[in-house]
Every structure is written in structure tokens, then in C-alpha cells.
Amino acid sequence: MFKINVKSISIFSLILFISLSFLSLFLIPGLQTHYSLRQFLPVDNQLLQRDEKVRQLFQISEAQPFIVTAKIPNNETWFNKKRITDLQHLTEVVGNFPGVINSTSIATVQGAVSSKEGLNIGPLLQSLPIARWEQEVISNPLLSPSLISRDLKTVSLMANIKSLPTHELQALRENLEVTAKATLPFAHIEIGGTPAVQTDVGHLLKTEVRNFVLLGFLACFVVLALVFSNWSPLLIAFIIILCANLIVLAVFAVAGYPFSVLSSTIPILTTVDSVSLIIHTLLRFAEERKAAPLANQADLVVSSLRKMLRPNMIASITTLIGFLSLLSVKVPLIRDYGLTAAMAIAIGWIVTTGMMLPLMYFLKEPKARSWAWSKARWGLYLFRRAGVWAVLIIVVSLGLAVKGQRLSWSAKLFDDLPTNHQVRLSTEAIDRDLGGMIPVDIAIKGKEDQWSSPHELERLNILIEDLRKIPGVG
């Protein structure tokens, strides 16, 4: 009767977790990646609160624009009627893309030009003779270098977008790149801007998650192969790691927790934690088998799991509490990571504990290698020279602490992308040639009707000229 109960429970447990893992495959595509500057600041940060007030006051969209850059090769410039017409066509097409609020380029920017016939209002370049294009554009700080570089070889097309989910941002970016290359075949096209960084960081996160899981599998299999002499522990670890990671990612997708830069380490965290529980449990079974060579496998499985239930639970809980301590941090990125990591540890323990019974019951029992029973004499060596090792650890720790003072604390948006990544290079080019990418919004509040005074507007213009002279202002 006892054996029938164990078998029934094992079958039910195996079907349950395999079914949950299969269902997770359909839920994981809904997992979103998230990358925003707001992740790095507390919600009650004064800068964020002021920024929100300014955005509401001036109806500024929170979504940063895609920036399409087009560079003319050789010694030619953009000031050619055919090229400007093509740029105008591209700008108008982009403005009609789904998810795009409006688009702007040097070919469509509006302006007022006085002539003998009166005041012409409309696209600025269409209102000017070609001979005056360079003079008027270079002298206007609103046009150069933000819409065209000083050397007149690179133009930018700004596509202001709505707040879109990651997969729609990715589709829009691909559409922008394909359309721009088809419309401007004579120019070198690159896509930059904050949304481009966000989409590529999202893609990078997915790649890193896959790499982390594969490397975790490899490292864990090497450890298991060193400890055990047969293949069943490897198969047990493979099934549990796969199911645990699938269920963890599916839970994040259903709960609405997006993946951030830090969250990419959660799969390897889940893998390492599960393998630790697996090894401890399998070694306990091997010890039970060594003590009772003739005992029934089902009895040893139940005995081993019962004896390891509390130690494994305590090991997972202590790790979980460590990550939950990050909830006291005000930075949303770190706080969310602490919560999701704790959830991953808890789910990993549940999946590992629930699947060990059926897998150990149905598969061949693990066999530990002979060296696993040998005494750890290296520990005695360390204890005999405890003073030397203590001094060495203190010296190394102090050296690393001194070295750590020179850590880079840069918060540049595209530092999370590889050095030679296309979006990083294009964004650096925008900073270098097109006056920068990230704006600093300054709101100046005056008395009623203050800005209708020509004198006050003149003072405002002087302030603007002074700000443009500050190093770092594009």
C-alpha cells in the first residue's frame, strides 16, 4: 500500500510540473524587458517630481524620440535639392507610421522668411533660395547642429513616438531602418536615440538570459559529473533546471514583472540554487544507500527527502531573506531585483522539491564517486595555518577596497551596450556631431504676462546664449 501511494504521488507530481512547464512556454513570450532612466532613481526623488511637473505643464511626451541619422559620403553635403526632397518624403512617411506622433527633419522644419512679396511661412528650406541655405541654417542654433551637423554632411530625422511596449518598439525601429535605407540609398543610415538603446538592451537581455542558462547547465553538469559516476543525476538536474527556469520566467510574465539589466542574472541564480539542492539531496540518498545496501529504493527516496526537507528549506529561506533585504533600498531597479530574485529562489525550491520525488523514484539511483567519501584533509591544512590565511585575506580585502575607490560610477545610458555596438556608435555620433541626445529641460516661471515684454525676452535670449557656451551643452 505504501509503495502504491509513493508511486501515485510521484506520477501526480511529475505530471503537474511537466504540465506547468509546458504551459510556461506559451506565457514566456509575454515577458517584457524594461530599460529606463527612471529605474535608477527613487520614486520620491525631487528631480523626477520636477520633471513630471514640467512634462505636464508643457505637454512633453515621456517617450524619447527615435533618431535616424543619414550621413553623406565623400566631400558632398546635404544641400542639394534632390536630396532634401527625398529627406522630406522620408520624414512625411515616417510621420504616418503606427506609433509615431510626429516627425521632424531639416527638410520639413517650419519657419518664417521675409521677402519682397511679404512673409513666407512654411517649410524653411522651401522658402529660401538654395544659395542661402547654408548661411541661414548654420546661423540658427535651433537647426544646427541638432538637425544637421556643422559640416553639413549628417542630418537627423526625429520621430517622436508614443509609449510603446518592447516588441512594438522593435518593429518600429526595423521599419524605420528599412524605409530610410530604401528612400535614401545614397546615405549611410543609422538608428539612435533612447528607444533604440532600449530595444537593443532588451534584445541583449534575452541573449544574456539564454547564455546564462546554457553556461549554468554546462557548469552544473561538470560538477555533477565530478560528484556522481552515473548519468541519472545529470538527467534529474537537466529536467529540474529546465522546468524551474521556465516556470520562473512564466510567473514573471503573468505577474507583470519586466526583465531589467539586473534581472538577467536570475536564470543562473535559479539554476545554481536548484543544483545545490539537488546535489545535497542526492548525496544524502547515496549515504542512506551506503548505510543500508539492501533497502528498497522507494523507502530510501522518501527517507532522504524527508531528512533533507528542512535543511534545503532553511538554505533557500536564508538566501531568499538576503534578497528581500534589498526591498529597503529606494532605487526601483535594485528593489525590483531583490523581489524577483526572492521569488525565483522560492519557486526554484518548490519545483526542485516537488520533482525530486518522481525523478528519484523512476530513474536509476545516483552513485557517488569514491572520492566523495574521502576526508577533507585540505581543511586541516588551512586550520594549522589559520593565522597566515587570516592575514592574507585581510591584506587582499584592504587592497581590493582601495582599488574599488576608483570604480567608474558612470550612468551613461548606452554604457550597458557593448563598445562596438551599432546603436552605441550611432548614439555617440549623435552626441558628437548633432548636439547631443538627452535634453535638460529648464522651466522659468515669471509673473503674469512677463514673457510678453520685449525686454524680458531679450534677457531670456541672453540666458540662452550663455547656456550654449557651457561645456557639454550641444
Side-chain angles (χ1 to χ4, degrees):
M1 185 66 180
F2 178 77
K3 292 181 180 179
I4 294 176
N5 289 337
V6 173
K7 185 176 182 180
S8 300
I9 294 173
S10 299
I11 293 174
F12 173 78
S13 179
L14 189 62
I15 293 175
L16 173 64
F17 286 103
I18 293 296
S19 300
L20 289 174
S21 302
F22 184 75
L23 178 62
S24 298
L25 292 173
F26 299 94
L27 298 175
I28 288 176
L31 182 66
Q32 298 292 323
T33 54
H34 183 56
Y35 189 73
S36 168
L37 293 177
R38 292 178 177 268
Q39 290 178 301
F40 300 94
L41 292 174
V43 178
D44 59 351
N45 183 271
Q46 290 187 354
L47 284 176
L48 285 182
Q49 293 176 349
R50 292 174 187 172
D51 179 67
E52 186 62 31
K53 289 181 180 179
V54 170
R55 290 183 182 279
Q56 292 179 359
L57 181 62
F58 295 100
Q59 297 297 303
I60 301 174
S61 173
E62 184 175 348
Q64 295 289 330
F66 270 110
I67 302 177
V68 182
T69 62
K71 186 173 183 179
I72 297 293
N74 305 322
N75 297 322
E76 302 175 9
T77 72
W78 266 99
F79 284 166
N80 172 283
K81 190 172 182 61
K82 173 66 168 58
R83 295 188 184 123
I84 292 296
T85 301
D86 290 342
L87 179 61
Q88 179 182 3
H89 175 67
L90 174 63
T91 308
E92 292 170 350
V93 170
V94 168
N96 293 321
F97 281 176
V100 175
I101 300 173
N102 56 59
S103 58
T104 305
S105 72
I106 191 68
T108 62
V109 67
Q110 301 291 305
V113 178
S114 59
S115 63
K116 295 179 181 179
E117 291 77 17
L119 193 64
N120 297 326
I121 300 177
L124 182 63
L125 296 186
Q126 292 184 14
S127 304
L128 290 170
I130 296 179
R132 289 180 56 190
W133 281 3
E134 181 173 348
Q135 177 186 352
E136 293 291 336
V137 169
I138 293 297
S139 62
N140 190 332
L142 296 179
L143 304 180
S144 180
S146 59
L147 295 179
I148 187 167
S149 59
R150 297 292 186 186
D151 60 4
L152 309 179
K153 294 176 66 65
T154 305
V155 297
S156 65
L157 188 160
M158 298 188 183
N160 295 305
I161 62 174
K162 303 174 184 177
S163 295
L164 301 173
T166 306
H167 67 280
E168 291 186 19
L169 278 178
Q170 181 64 35
L172 176 57
R173 183 206 158 170
E174 293 173 357
N175 201 4
L176 284 172
E177 187 170 10
V178 170
T179 306
K181 288 182 177 180
T183 309
L184 308 175
F186 50 84
H188 177 66
I189 303 296
E190 288 185 338
I191 308 294
T194 306
V197 177
Q198 291 172 326
T199 55
D200 275 42
V201 167
H203 179 72
L204 186 64
L205 286 177
K206 293 178 181 178
T207 303
E208 291 302 315
V209 168
R210 185 191 65 233
N211 293 341
F212 274 143
V213 172
L214 292 177
L215 289 173
F217 270 122
L218 179 61
C220 292
F221 287 165
V222 169
V223 172
L224 287 165
L226 290 174
V227 177
F228 299 98
S229 60
N230 59 334
W231 56 266
S232 60
L234 299 179
L235 184 57
I236 291 173
F238 175 80
I239 295 173
I240 291 179
I241 292 172
L242 182 62
C243 292
N245 277 290
L246 288 176
I247 294 174
V248 165
L249 295 179
V251 168
F252 289 169
V254 173
Y257 286 107
F259 246 46
S260 65
V261 176
L262 294 180
S263 301
S264 61
T265 61
I266 285 180
I268 192 67
L269 182 66
T270 305
T271 299
V272 171
D273 185 65
S274 295
V275 168
S276 175
L277 301 178
I278 292 169
I279 290 177
H280 290 156
T281 304
L282 294 180
L283 280 176
R284 181 68 190 192
F285 178 89
E287 291 175 356
E288 295 278 329
R289 171 57 73 192
K290 188 176 182 181
L294 302 178
N296 181 272
Q297 181 177 346
D299 295 338
L300 289 182
V301 168
V302 173
S303 174
S304 301
L305 291 175
R306 183 185 294 116
K307 291 177 181 178
M308 291 303 300
L309 179 63
R310 182 178 296 178
N312 284 346
M313 181 186 295
I314 293 174
S316 296
I317 288 176
T318 52
T319 308
L320 182 148
I321 291 174
F323 282 107
L324 286 180
S325 66
L326 296 177
L327 294 178
S328 60
V329 179
K330 290 186 176 182
V331 179
L333 182 69
I334 298 176
R335 188 176 63 247
D336 291 345
Y337 174 68
L339 179 60
T340 52
M343 290 173 57
I345 294 295
I347 295 170
W349 176 81
I350 293 172
V351 175
T352 303
T353 304
M355 297 194 73
M356 284 299 290
L357 175 62
L359 293 177
M360 291 178 67
Y361 180 82
F362 289 114
L363 296 178
K364 291 184 178 181
E365 55 186 66
K367 296 180 181 179
R369 296 186 184 276
S370 57
W371 70 268
W373 311 115
S374 61
K375 295 181 179 180
R377 292 187 174 83
W378 57 270
L380 299 175
Y381 171 81
L382 295 179
F383 278 117
R384 284 197 297 268
R385 294 166 177 78
V388 176
W389 283 104
V391 172
L392 180 62
I393 292 172
I394 292 173
V395 171
V396 172
S397 299
L398 290 175
L400 292 175
V402 173
K403 184 72 174 177
Q405 298 300 313
R406 293 192 291 271
L407 278 173
S408 172
W409 295 98
S410 170
K412 290 172 68 176
L413 178 66
F414 42 80
D415 273 357
D416 293 312
L417 291 174
T419 305
N420 295 321
H421 195 279
Q422 183 271 318
V423 170
R424 179 166 180 168
L425 293 175
S426 63
T427 304
E428 289 174 342
I430 292 169
D431 265 351
R432 183 179 62 252
D433 301 328
L434 296 170
M437 188 182 75
I438 304 298
V440 176
D441 299 320
I442 302 174
I444 305 174
K445 186 176 182 180
K447 299 177 182 178
E448 187 175 357
D449 294 331
Q450 180 168 357
W451 302 115
S452 62
S453 167
H455 175 67
E456 295 298 337
L457 290 177
E458 181 61 28
R459 291 177 61 191
L460 180 62
N461 188 59
I462 293 173
L463 172 62
I464 293 172
E465 294 296 332
D466 290 340
L467 290 176
R468 287 184 179 130
K469 297 175 183 177
I470 297 176
V473 175

